[in-house]
Amino acid sequence: MREFLVEITTTIPEGTTQDEVDRRRAAEAVRARELAATGNLARLWRPVGELRSIGIWCAGDEDELHEKVLGTLPLRPWMSLTVTALESHPNDPGRTGAAR
């Protein structure tokens, strides 16, 4: 699987009830755990003081990432995404077989 850096900003549409927001957020947490278990969600952070997320997501290619991974998130209709495909850097200290 390929790795992608995904920046997510979620904007709740005006007029959305708190019940709907709570329902989607609960479903989002369940789906995130499922995607972590399948290896599609590797890491997820929230920048301090911001209402956005930055994560490392994995999929076969970018189409699969959008259709079968990010597209399955309950909050996806409210999200704007920036996706950057990643590749290994020769100086990555976490890379298997990297010179020490």
Side-chain angles (χ1 to χ4, degrees), residues 2 4 40 58-72 76 81 83 85:
R2 294 194 60 191
F4 299 87
N40 294 109
C58 302
D61 58 34
E62 193 166 338
D63 288 338
E64 179 182 311
L65 177 71
H66 283 283
E67 293 170 20
K68 297 182 179 176
V69 180
L70 299 173
T72 68
R76 178 61 188 100
L81 308 171
V83 175

Side-chain angles (χ1 to χ4, degrees), residues 1 31 34-42 56-60 64-65 68-69:
M1 281 199 281
R31 186 65 183 135
E34 292 169 351
L35 291 168
T38 60
N40 294 109
L41 174 55
I56 303 296
W57 297 76
C58 302
E64 179 182 311
L65 177 71
K68 297 182 179 176
V69 180

